[in-house]
Amino acid sequence: MFGSAAIDLAWVADGKIDANIMLSNNPWDTAAGVVIAREAGAAVVDIDGSPHTMSAHAAIAASPKLVADLVELIAEARKVARYSQRTAE
């Protein structure tokens, strides 16, 4: 995080950063930034790759080409974490 969810998403919109992944934020933290990023052409999705909404559990923002890869990487990391947790029990 660079200071706030809105600035992180605005920086994706401006091209200062390639992507931003927020796995836990409130809608009021991301609403303005999501609009700015989308208006600039970024894709903003939830953790499962569905469009980001006010009830989203995460905000993943990047170029449309990159966002699908990020969603896939996050899904794989979550699978590994669940597996590791089960084997540790």
Side-chain angles (χ1 to χ4, degrees), residues 6-76:
I7 196 68
D8 292 350
L9 291 163
W11 284 1
V12 170
D14 190 41
K16 289 184 185 212
I17 58 175
D18 293 327
N20 185 260
I21 301 168
M22 294 177 274
L23 300 178
S24 175
N25 270 305
N26 297 308
W28 52 85
D29 293 326
T30 58
V34 168
V35 171
I36 293 167
R38 284 185 174 153
E39 288 294 318
V44 186
V45 300
D46 199 350
I47 198 160
D48 63 357
S50 63
H52 183 276
T53 65
M54 293 302 278
S55 60
H57 298 287
I60 302 165
S63 71
K65 290 181 179 182
L66 183 58
V67 81
D69 291 338
L70 291 173
V71 169
E72 185 178 328
L73 286 170
I74 292 167
E76 287 298 317

Short mmCIF file of all heavy atoms in Angstrom, two decimals, residues 6-76:
data_model
loop_
_atom_site.label_atom_id
_atom_site.label_comp_id
_atom_site.label_asym_id
_atom_site.label_seq_id
_atom_site.Cartn_x
_atom_site.Cartn_y
_atom_site.Cartn_z
N ALA A 6 -7.48 4.37 -2.57
CA ALA A 6 -7.81 5.24 -3.70
C ALA A 6 -6.56 5.66 -4.47
O ALA A 6 -6.55 5.64 -5.70
CB ALA A 6 -8.58 6.46 -3.21
N ILE A 7 -5.50 6.03 -3.78
CA ILE A 7 -4.28 6.45 -4.48
C ILE A 7 -3.63 5.28 -5.18
O ILE A 7 -3.11 5.41 -6.29
CB ILE A 7 -3.29 7.20 -3.56
CG1 ILE A 7 -2.24 7.96 -4.39
CG2 ILE A 7 -2.57 6.26 -2.62
CD1 ILE A 7 -2.77 9.11 -5.15
N ASP A 8 -3.67 4.10 -4.57
CA ASP A 8 -3.12 2.91 -5.22
C ASP A 8 -3.82 2.66 -6.55
O ASP A 8 -3.17 2.38 -7.57
CB ASP A 8 -3.28 1.68 -4.32
CG ASP A 8 -2.42 1.74 -3.07
OD1 ASP A 8 -1.57 2.64 -2.97
OD2 ASP A 8 -2.62 0.89 -2.19
N LEU A 9 -5.13 2.75 -6.55
CA LEU A 9 -5.89 2.52 -7.78
C LEU A 9 -5.69 3.66 -8.78
O LEU A 9 -5.62 3.43 -10.00
CB LEU A 9 -7.37 2.33 -7.46
CG LEU A 9 -7.67 1.03 -6.72
CD1 LEU A 9 -9.04 1.08 -6.06
CD2 LEU A 9 -7.55 -0.16 -7.64
N ALA A 10 -5.57 4.87 -8.29
CA ALA A 10 -5.29 6.01 -9.19
C ALA A 10 -3.93 5.85 -9.85
O ALA A 10 -3.75 6.21 -11.02
CB ALA A 10 -5.37 7.32 -8.43
N TRP A 11 -2.97 5.29 -9.14
CA TRP A 11 -1.64 5.08 -9.72
C TRP A 11 -1.66 3.98 -10.77
O TRP A 11 -0.89 4.03 -11.73
CB TRP A 11 -0.62 4.81 -8.64
CG TRP A 11 -0.21 6.07 -7.90
CD1 TRP A 11 -0.69 7.34 -8.11
CD2 TRP A 11 0.74 6.18 -6.86
NE1 TRP A 11 -0.09 8.22 -7.26
CE2 TRP A 11 0.80 7.54 -6.48
CE3 TRP A 11 1.54 5.27 -6.20
CZ2 TRP A 11 1.63 8.00 -5.49
CZ3 TRP A 11 2.38 5.72 -5.20
CH2 TRP A 11 2.43 7.08 -4.85
N VAL A 12 -2.53 2.99 -10.63
CA VAL A 12 -2.72 2.01 -11.71
C VAL A 12 -3.27 2.75 -12.92
O VAL A 12 -2.80 2.57 -14.05
CB VAL A 12 -3.67 0.87 -11.28
CG1 VAL A 12 -4.05 0.01 -12.48
CG2 VAL A 12 -3.04 0.02 -10.19
N ALA A 13 -4.26 3.60 -12.69
CA ALA A 13 -4.86 4.37 -13.78
C ALA A 13 -3.83 5.23 -14.50
O ALA A 13 -3.85 5.36 -15.73
CB ALA A 13 -6.00 5.25 -13.25
N ASP A 14 -2.92 5.82 -13.75
CA ASP A 14 -1.91 6.73 -14.30
C ASP A 14 -0.72 5.98 -14.92
O ASP A 14 0.10 6.58 -15.61
CB ASP A 14 -1.42 7.66 -13.20
CG ASP A 14 -0.56 8.80 -13.72
OD1 ASP A 14 -0.91 9.36 -14.79
OD2 ASP A 14 0.45 9.11 -13.08
N GLY A 15 -0.61 4.69 -14.64
CA GLY A 15 0.51 3.93 -15.16
C GLY A 15 1.75 3.98 -14.28
O GLY A 15 2.81 3.49 -14.67
N LYS A 16 1.64 4.56 -13.09
CA LYS A 16 2.79 4.62 -12.19
C LYS A 16 3.12 3.24 -11.64
O LYS A 16 4.27 2.95 -11.33
CB LYS A 16 2.52 5.57 -11.03
CG LYS A 16 2.52 7.01 -11.44
CD LYS A 16 2.35 7.92 -10.25
CE LYS A 16 2.23 9.34 -10.78
NZ LYS A 16 2.77 10.32 -9.90
N ILE A 17 2.11 2.40 -11.49
CA ILE A 17 2.30 1.01 -11.09
C ILE A 17 1.52 0.13 -12.06
O ILE A 17 0.53 0.56 -12.64
CB ILE A 17 1.89 0.73 -9.62
CG1 ILE A 17 0.43 1.10 -9.37
CG2 ILE A 17 2.80 1.47 -8.66
CD1 ILE A 17 -0.07 0.74 -7.98
N ASP A 18 2.00 -1.08 -12.27
CA ASP A 18 1.36 -1.98 -13.24
C ASP A 18 0.09 -2.63 -12.71
O ASP A 18 -0.81 -2.95 -13.48
CB ASP A 18 2.33 -3.09 -13.66
CG ASP A 18 3.49 -2.55 -14.46
OD1 ASP A 18 3.30 -1.56 -15.19
OD2 ASP A 18 4.60 -3.10 -14.34
N ALA A 19 0.05 -2.87 -11.41
CA ALA A 19 -1.09 -3.57 -10.83
C ALA A 19 -1.19 -3.25 -9.36
O ALA A 19 -0.23 -2.78 -8.74
CB ALA A 19 -0.94 -5.07 -11.01
N ASN A 20 -2.36 -3.51 -8.81
CA ASN A 20 -2.57 -3.35 -7.38
C ASN A 20 -3.48 -4.47 -6.92
O ASN A 20 -4.48 -4.77 -7.57
CB ASN A 20 -3.18 -1.99 -7.07
CG ASN A 20 -3.30 -1.77 -5.59
OD1 ASN A 20 -4.37 -1.94 -5.02
ND2 ASN A 20 -2.21 -1.39 -4.96
N ILE A 21 -3.12 -5.10 -5.81
CA ILE A 21 -3.90 -6.19 -5.25
C ILE A 21 -4.22 -5.84 -3.81
O ILE A 21 -3.32 -5.68 -2.99
CB ILE A 21 -3.12 -7.52 -5.31
CG1 ILE A 21 -2.77 -7.85 -6.76
CG2 ILE A 21 -3.93 -8.64 -4.66
CD1 ILE A 21 -1.77 -8.97 -6.91
N MET A 22 -5.50 -5.71 -3.53
CA MET A 22 -5.97 -5.46 -2.17
C MET A 22 -6.92 -6.58 -1.81
O MET A 22 -7.97 -6.71 -2.42
CB MET A 22 -6.68 -4.11 -2.09
CG MET A 22 -5.76 -2.94 -2.33
SD MET A 22 -6.63 -1.38 -2.33
CE MET A 22 -7.16 -1.32 -4.04
N LEU A 23 -6.53 -7.39 -0.86
CA LEU A 23 -7.34 -8.57 -0.53
C LEU A 23 -8.32 -8.32 0.59
O LEU A 23 -9.11 -9.21 0.91
CB LEU A 23 -6.41 -9.74 -0.19
CG LEU A 23 -5.46 -10.15 -1.32
CD1 LEU A 23 -4.55 -11.28 -0.87
CD2 LEU A 23 -6.23 -10.54 -2.57
N SER A 24 -8.31 -7.15 1.16
CA SER A 24 -9.24 -6.86 2.25
C SER A 24 -9.41 -5.35 2.40
O SER A 24 -8.58 -4.70 3.02
CB SER A 24 -8.72 -7.47 3.55
OG SER A 24 -9.54 -7.11 4.63
N ASN A 25 -10.46 -4.82 1.81
CA ASN A 25 -10.76 -3.41 1.95
C ASN A 25 -12.26 -3.22 2.00
O ASN A 25 -13.02 -4.06 1.55
CB ASN A 25 -10.21 -2.59 0.78
CG ASN A 25 -8.81 -2.09 1.04
OD1 ASN A 25 -8.56 -1.44 2.04
ND2 ASN A 25 -7.89 -2.40 0.16
N ASN A 26 -12.66 -2.09 2.52
CA ASN A 26 -14.07 -1.73 2.56
C ASN A 26 -14.45 -0.98 1.29
O ASN A 26 -13.60 -0.33 0.69
CB ASN A 26 -14.35 -0.86 3.78
CG ASN A 26 -14.08 -1.61 5.07
OD1 ASN A 26 -14.58 -2.70 5.27
ND2 ASN A 26 -13.28 -1.02 5.94
N PRO A 27 -15.72 -1.04 0.89
CA PRO A 27 -16.14 -0.37 -0.34
C PRO A 27 -15.83 1.13 -0.35
O PRO A 27 -15.48 1.68 -1.38
CB PRO A 27 -17.64 -0.62 -0.41
CG PRO A 27 -17.95 -1.66 0.59
CD PRO A 27 -16.80 -1.75 1.54
N TRP A 28 -15.95 1.76 0.79
CA TRP A 28 -15.69 3.20 0.84
C TRP A 28 -14.21 3.52 0.66
O TRP A 28 -13.85 4.64 0.33
CB TRP A 28 -16.24 3.82 2.13
CG TRP A 28 -15.80 3.13 3.38
CD1 TRP A 28 -14.64 3.32 4.08
CD2 TRP A 28 -16.51 2.11 4.07
NE1 TRP A 28 -14.58 2.50 5.17
CE2 TRP A 28 -15.72 1.73 5.19
CE3 TRP A 28 -17.72 1.45 3.85
CZ2 TRP A 28 -16.12 0.75 6.09
CZ3 TRP A 28 -18.11 0.49 4.76
CH2 TRP A 28 -17.32 0.14 5.86
N ASP A 29 -13.35 2.52 0.84
CA ASP A 29 -11.92 2.72 0.62
C ASP A 29 -11.57 2.65 -0.87
O ASP A 29 -10.58 3.25 -1.30
CB ASP A 29 -11.11 1.64 1.34
CG ASP A 29 -11.18 1.73 2.84
OD1 ASP A 29 -11.27 2.85 3.37
OD2 ASP A 29 -11.16 0.67 3.49
N THR A 30 -12.33 1.88 -1.63
CA THR A 30 -11.96 1.61 -3.02
C THR A 30 -12.85 2.27 -4.07
O THR A 30 -12.46 2.34 -5.23
CB THR A 30 -11.97 0.09 -3.28
OG1 THR A 30 -13.28 -0.42 -3.00
CG2 THR A 30 -10.93 -0.62 -2.44
N ALA A 31 -14.04 2.73 -3.70
CA ALA A 31 -15.03 3.18 -4.68
C ALA A 31 -14.48 4.22 -5.67
O ALA A 31 -14.59 4.05 -6.89
CB ALA A 31 -16.28 3.71 -3.98
N ALA A 32 -13.90 5.29 -5.16
CA ALA A 32 -13.40 6.34 -6.05
C ALA A 32 -12.26 5.83 -6.94
O ALA A 32 -12.23 6.10 -8.14
CB ALA A 32 -12.94 7.54 -5.24
N GLY A 33 -11.35 5.09 -6.35
CA GLY A 33 -10.22 4.56 -7.11
C GLY A 33 -10.64 3.57 -8.18
O GLY A 33 -10.05 3.54 -9.26
N VAL A 34 -11.65 2.76 -7.89
CA VAL A 34 -12.16 1.81 -8.89
C VAL A 34 -12.69 2.56 -10.10
O VAL A 34 -12.40 2.20 -11.24
CB VAL A 34 -13.24 0.89 -8.27
CG1 VAL A 34 -13.98 0.12 -9.36
CG2 VAL A 34 -12.62 -0.06 -7.27
N VAL A 35 -13.46 3.62 -9.86
CA VAL A 35 -14.00 4.41 -10.98
C VAL A 35 -12.87 5.02 -11.80
O VAL A 35 -12.87 4.95 -13.03
CB VAL A 35 -14.96 5.51 -10.46
CG1 VAL A 35 -15.35 6.47 -11.57
CG2 VAL A 35 -16.19 4.88 -9.83
N ILE A 36 -11.90 5.60 -11.14
CA ILE A 36 -10.76 6.23 -11.83
C ILE A 36 -10.00 5.20 -12.66
O ILE A 36 -9.68 5.43 -13.82
CB ILE A 36 -9.83 6.94 -10.82
CG1 ILE A 36 -10.56 8.13 -10.19
CG2 ILE A 36 -8.53 7.37 -11.48
CD1 ILE A 36 -9.86 8.70 -8.96
N ALA A 37 -9.70 4.05 -12.05
CA ALA A 37 -8.94 3.01 -12.76
C ALA A 37 -9.72 2.50 -13.97
O ALA A 37 -9.15 2.34 -15.05
CB ALA A 37 -8.62 1.86 -11.81
N ARG A 38 -11.01 2.24 -13.80
CA ARG A 38 -11.81 1.75 -14.93
C ARG A 38 -11.90 2.78 -16.05
O ARG A 38 -11.84 2.42 -17.23
CB ARG A 38 -13.21 1.36 -14.45
CG ARG A 38 -13.22 0.04 -13.71
CD ARG A 38 -14.61 -0.37 -13.35
NE ARG A 38 -14.60 -1.71 -12.77
CZ ARG A 38 -15.50 -2.14 -11.92
NH1 ARG A 38 -16.51 -1.36 -11.55
NH2 ARG A 38 -15.43 -3.36 -11.43
N GLU A 39 -12.06 4.04 -15.69
CA GLU A 39 -12.13 5.09 -16.72
C GLU A 39 -10.83 5.18 -17.51
O GLU A 39 -10.85 5.55 -18.67
CB GLU A 39 -12.48 6.44 -16.08
CG GLU A 39 -13.90 6.54 -15.60
CD GLU A 39 -14.92 6.48 -16.72
OE1 GLU A 39 -14.70 7.11 -17.78
OE2 GLU A 39 -15.95 5.78 -16.54
N ALA A 40 -9.72 4.81 -16.90
CA ALA A 40 -8.43 4.84 -17.58
C ALA A 40 -8.17 3.57 -18.38
O ALA A 40 -7.15 3.45 -19.04
CB ALA A 40 -7.31 5.06 -16.57
N GLY A 41 -9.08 2.59 -18.29
CA GLY A 41 -8.92 1.36 -19.07
C GLY A 41 -8.45 0.15 -18.30
O GLY A 41 -8.25 -0.92 -18.88
N ALA A 42 -8.26 0.29 -17.00
CA ALA A 42 -7.84 -0.85 -16.18
C ALA A 42 -9.03 -1.77 -15.92
O ALA A 42 -10.18 -1.33 -15.89
CB ALA A 42 -7.26 -0.38 -14.85
N ALA A 43 -8.74 -3.02 -15.73
CA ALA A 43 -9.76 -3.97 -15.28
C ALA A 43 -9.66 -4.01 -13.76
O ALA A 43 -8.56 -4.04 -13.20
CB ALA A 43 -9.49 -5.35 -15.85
N VAL A 44 -10.79 -3.99 -13.09
CA VAL A 44 -10.82 -4.09 -11.63
C VAL A 44 -11.79 -5.21 -11.29
O VAL A 44 -12.97 -5.15 -11.64
CB VAL A 44 -11.26 -2.77 -10.96
CG1 VAL A 44 -11.15 -2.88 -9.45
CG2 VAL A 44 -10.44 -1.59 -11.47
N VAL A 45 -11.26 -6.25 -10.63
CA VAL A 45 -12.05 -7.44 -10.37
C VAL A 45 -11.95 -7.86 -8.90
O VAL A 45 -11.08 -7.41 -8.17
CB VAL A 45 -11.61 -8.62 -11.27
CG1 VAL A 45 -11.78 -8.26 -12.73
CG2 VAL A 45 -10.17 -9.03 -10.98
N ASP A 46 -12.85 -8.77 -8.52
CA ASP A 46 -12.83 -9.38 -7.19
C ASP A 46 -11.83 -10.53 -7.22
O ASP A 46 -11.28 -10.87 -8.27
CB ASP A 46 -14.23 -9.87 -6.83
CG ASP A 46 -14.43 -10.09 -5.33
OD1 ASP A 46 -13.45 -10.05 -4.58
OD2 ASP A 46 -15.59 -10.31 -4.93
N ILE A 47 -11.63 -11.18 -6.11
CA ILE A 47 -10.63 -12.23 -5.98
C ILE A 47 -10.88 -13.41 -6.92
O ILE A 47 -9.96 -14.10 -7.33
CB ILE A 47 -10.50 -12.69 -4.52
CG1 ILE A 47 -9.19 -13.43 -4.32
CG2 ILE A 47 -11.71 -13.50 -4.08
CD1 ILE A 47 -8.75 -13.52 -2.89
N ASP A 48 -12.14 -13.63 -7.30
CA ASP A 48 -12.47 -14.74 -8.20
C ASP A 48 -12.48 -14.33 -9.68
O ASP A 48 -12.81 -15.13 -10.54
CB ASP A 48 -13.82 -15.35 -7.82
CG ASP A 48 -14.97 -14.37 -7.96
OD1 ASP A 48 -14.75 -13.19 -8.30
OD2 ASP A 48 -16.11 -14.79 -7.70
N GLY A 49 -12.13 -13.09 -9.96
CA GLY A 49 -12.09 -12.61 -11.34
C GLY A 49 -13.38 -11.97 -11.81
O GLY A 49 -13.44 -11.43 -12.92
N SER A 50 -14.40 -12.00 -10.98
CA SER A 50 -15.67 -11.34 -11.35
C SER A 50 -15.50 -9.83 -11.20
O SER A 50 -14.62 -9.36 -10.46
CB SER A 50 -16.80 -11.84 -10.47
OG SER A 50 -16.58 -11.51 -9.11
N PRO A 51 -16.32 -9.06 -11.88
CA PRO A 51 -16.19 -7.60 -11.78
C PRO A 51 -16.28 -7.12 -10.34
O PRO A 51 -17.07 -7.65 -9.54
CB PRO A 51 -17.38 -7.08 -12.60
CG PRO A 51 -17.66 -8.18 -13.58
CD PRO A 51 -17.38 -9.46 -12.82
N HIS A 52 -15.47 -6.15 -10.00
CA HIS A 52 -15.49 -5.58 -8.66
C HIS A 52 -16.81 -4.85 -8.45
O HIS A 52 -17.25 -4.09 -9.30
CB HIS A 52 -14.32 -4.59 -8.50
CG HIS A 52 -14.22 -4.01 -7.14
ND1 HIS A 52 -14.96 -2.93 -6.75
CD2 HIS A 52 -13.49 -4.37 -6.07
CE1 HIS A 52 -14.68 -2.64 -5.50
NE2 HIS A 52 -13.77 -3.50 -5.07
N THR A 53 -17.45 -5.11 -7.31
CA THR A 53 -18.69 -4.44 -6.93
C THR A 53 -18.53 -3.91 -5.51
O THR A 53 -17.50 -4.15 -4.86
CB THR A 53 -19.89 -5.40 -6.97
OG1 THR A 53 -19.69 -6.40 -5.96
CG2 THR A 53 -20.05 -6.04 -8.33
N MET A 54 -19.54 -3.27 -5.01
CA MET A 54 -19.50 -2.74 -3.65
C MET A 54 -19.48 -3.86 -2.60
O MET A 54 -19.17 -3.62 -1.45
CB MET A 54 -20.68 -1.80 -3.41
CG MET A 54 -20.60 -0.52 -4.24
SD MET A 54 -19.09 0.43 -3.93
CE MET A 54 -19.55 1.28 -2.45
N SER A 55 -19.79 -5.08 -3.00
CA SER A 55 -19.75 -6.20 -2.05
C SER A 55 -18.55 -7.11 -2.31
O SER A 55 -18.48 -8.21 -1.76
CB SER A 55 -21.05 -7.00 -2.11
OG SER A 55 -21.24 -7.53 -3.40
N ALA A 56 -17.60 -6.66 -3.11
CA ALA A 56 -16.42 -7.46 -3.43
C ALA A 56 -15.56 -7.70 -2.19
O ALA A 56 -15.51 -6.86 -1.29
CB ALA A 56 -15.59 -6.77 -4.51
N HIS A 57 -14.90 -8.83 -2.17
CA HIS A 57 -14.01 -9.18 -1.06
C HIS A 57 -12.58 -8.69 -1.30
O HIS A 57 -11.77 -8.69 -0.38
CB HIS A 57 -14.00 -10.69 -0.86
CG HIS A 57 -15.33 -11.23 -0.48
ND1 HIS A 57 -15.89 -11.03 0.76
CD2 HIS A 57 -16.23 -11.93 -1.19
CE1 HIS A 57 -17.08 -11.60 0.80
NE2 HIS A 57 -17.30 -12.15 -0.37
N ALA A 58 -12.27 -8.32 -2.53
CA ALA A 58 -10.94 -7.86 -2.88
C ALA A 58 -11.03 -6.89 -4.04
O ALA A 58 -12.08 -6.78 -4.67
CB ALA A 58 -10.06 -9.05 -3.27
N ALA A 59 -9.95 -6.21 -4.31
CA ALA A 59 -9.86 -5.34 -5.48
C ALA A 59 -8.52 -5.62 -6.14
O ALA A 59 -7.46 -5.36 -5.56
CB ALA A 59 -9.97 -3.87 -5.09
N ILE A 60 -8.59 -6.18 -7.34
CA ILE A 60 -7.40 -6.47 -8.12
C ILE A 60 -7.50 -5.62 -9.38
O ILE A 60 -8.45 -5.77 -10.15
CB ILE A 60 -7.32 -7.97 -8.47
CG1 ILE A 60 -7.32 -8.80 -7.18
CG2 ILE A 60 -6.10 -8.26 -9.33
CD1 ILE A 60 -7.60 -10.26 -7.40
N ALA A 61 -6.55 -4.73 -9.56
CA ALA A 61 -6.60 -3.79 -10.68
C ALA A 61 -5.32 -3.87 -11.49
O ALA A 61 -4.22 -3.90 -10.94
CB ALA A 61 -6.79 -2.37 -10.16
N ALA A 62 -5.49 -3.93 -12.81
CA ALA A 62 -4.36 -3.97 -13.73
C ALA A 62 -4.91 -3.85 -15.14
O ALA A 62 -6.12 -3.76 -15.33
CB ALA A 62 -3.58 -5.28 -13.57
N SER A 63 -4.01 -3.90 -16.12
CA SER A 63 -4.48 -3.92 -17.50
C SER A 63 -5.29 -5.19 -17.70
O SER A 63 -5.05 -6.20 -17.03
CB SER A 63 -3.30 -3.89 -18.47
OG SER A 63 -2.63 -5.14 -18.43
N PRO A 64 -6.25 -5.17 -18.61
CA PRO A 64 -7.05 -6.37 -18.85
C PRO A 64 -6.21 -7.61 -19.17
O PRO A 64 -6.56 -8.71 -18.76
CB PRO A 64 -7.94 -5.97 -20.03
CG PRO A 64 -8.08 -4.49 -19.90
CD PRO A 64 -6.73 -4.03 -19.40
N LYS A 65 -5.09 -7.45 -19.85
CA LYS A 65 -4.23 -8.59 -20.17
C LYS A 65 -3.56 -9.17 -18.93
O LYS A 65 -3.36 -10.36 -18.82
CB LYS A 65 -3.15 -8.18 -21.18
CG LYS A 65 -3.68 -7.91 -22.55
CD LYS A 65 -2.56 -7.55 -23.48
CE LYS A 65 -3.08 -7.28 -24.88
NZ LYS A 65 -2.00 -6.97 -25.81
N LEU A 66 -3.20 -8.33 -17.99
CA LEU A 66 -2.48 -8.76 -16.80
C LEU A 66 -3.39 -9.27 -15.69
O LEU A 66 -3.02 -10.17 -14.94
CB LEU A 66 -1.62 -7.60 -16.29
CG LEU A 66 -0.73 -7.84 -15.09
CD1 LEU A 66 0.25 -8.97 -15.36
CD2 LEU A 66 0.02 -6.56 -14.75
N VAL A 67 -4.59 -8.73 -15.60
CA VAL A 67 -5.45 -9.06 -14.46
C VAL A 67 -5.82 -10.54 -14.42
O VAL A 67 -5.88 -11.14 -13.34
CB VAL A 67 -6.69 -8.13 -14.40
CG1 VAL A 67 -7.78 -8.56 -15.34
CG2 VAL A 67 -7.22 -8.04 -12.99
N ALA A 68 -6.03 -11.16 -15.55
CA ALA A 68 -6.37 -12.59 -15.57
C ALA A 68 -5.23 -13.43 -15.01
O ALA A 68 -5.46 -14.38 -14.24
CB ALA A 68 -6.72 -13.04 -16.98
N ASP A 69 -4.00 -13.08 -15.35
CA ASP A 69 -2.83 -13.79 -14.81
C ASP A 69 -2.73 -13.60 -13.30
O ASP A 69 -2.39 -14.54 -12.57
CB ASP A 69 -1.54 -13.32 -15.48
CG ASP A 69 -1.44 -13.74 -16.94
OD1 ASP A 69 -2.12 -14.72 -17.33
OD2 ASP A 69 -0.68 -13.09 -17.67
N LEU A 70 -3.01 -12.41 -12.82
CA LEU A 70 -2.95 -12.15 -11.39
C LEU A 70 -3.99 -12.97 -10.63
O LEU A 70 -3.70 -13.54 -9.59
CB LEU A 70 -3.15 -10.66 -11.10
CG LEU A 70 -2.02 -9.74 -11.55
CD1 LEU A 70 -2.41 -8.29 -11.36
CD2 LEU A 70 -0.75 -10.06 -10.77
N VAL A 71 -5.21 -13.02 -11.16
CA VAL A 71 -6.26 -13.81 -10.52
C VAL A 71 -5.86 -15.27 -10.45
O VAL A 71 -6.03 -15.93 -9.42
CB VAL A 71 -7.61 -13.62 -11.26
CG1 VAL A 71 -8.64 -14.63 -10.79
CG2 VAL A 71 -8.12 -12.20 -11.08
N GLU A 72 -5.27 -15.77 -11.52
CA GLU A 72 -4.82 -17.17 -11.55
C GLU A 72 -3.71 -17.41 -10.52
O GLU A 72 -3.73 -18.41 -9.80
CB GLU A 72 -4.33 -17.52 -12.95
CG GLU A 72 -3.97 -18.98 -13.12
CD GLU A 72 -3.54 -19.30 -14.54
OE1 GLU A 72 -4.05 -18.67 -15.49
OE2 GLU A 72 -2.69 -20.18 -14.69
N LEU A 73 -2.75 -16.52 -10.43
CA LEU A 73 -1.66 -16.66 -9.46
C LEU A 73 -2.17 -16.62 -8.03
O LEU A 73 -1.73 -17.39 -7.17
CB LEU A 73 -0.61 -15.56 -9.67
CG LEU A 73 0.29 -15.72 -10.88
CD1 LEU A 73 1.10 -14.44 -11.10
CD2 LEU A 73 1.20 -16.91 -10.72
N ILE A 74 -3.11 -15.73 -7.76
CA ILE A 74 -3.68 -15.64 -6.42
C ILE A 74 -4.44 -16.92 -6.08
O ILE A 74 -4.34 -17.44 -4.97
CB ILE A 74 -4.58 -14.40 -6.29
CG1 ILE A 74 -3.71 -13.13 -6.37
CG2 ILE A 74 -5.39 -14.43 -5.00
CD1 ILE A 74 -4.50 -11.86 -6.58
N ALA A 75 -5.20 -17.45 -7.04
CA ALA A 75 -5.94 -18.70 -6.81
C ALA A 75 -4.97 -19.84 -6.49
O ALA A 75 -5.22 -20.64 -5.58
CB ALA A 75 -6.80 -19.03 -8.02
N GLU A 76 -3.88 -19.93 -7.22
CA GLU A 76 -2.89 -20.98 -6.97
C GLU A 76 -2.26 -20.81 -5.59
O GLU A 76 -2.06 -21.79 -4.87
CB GLU A 76 -1.81 -20.98 -8.06
CG GLU A 76 -2.28 -21.53 -9.38
CD GLU A 76 -2.73 -22.99 -9.29
OE1 GLU A 76 -2.03 -23.80 -8.64
OE2 GLU A 76 -3.78 -23.30 -9.86
#
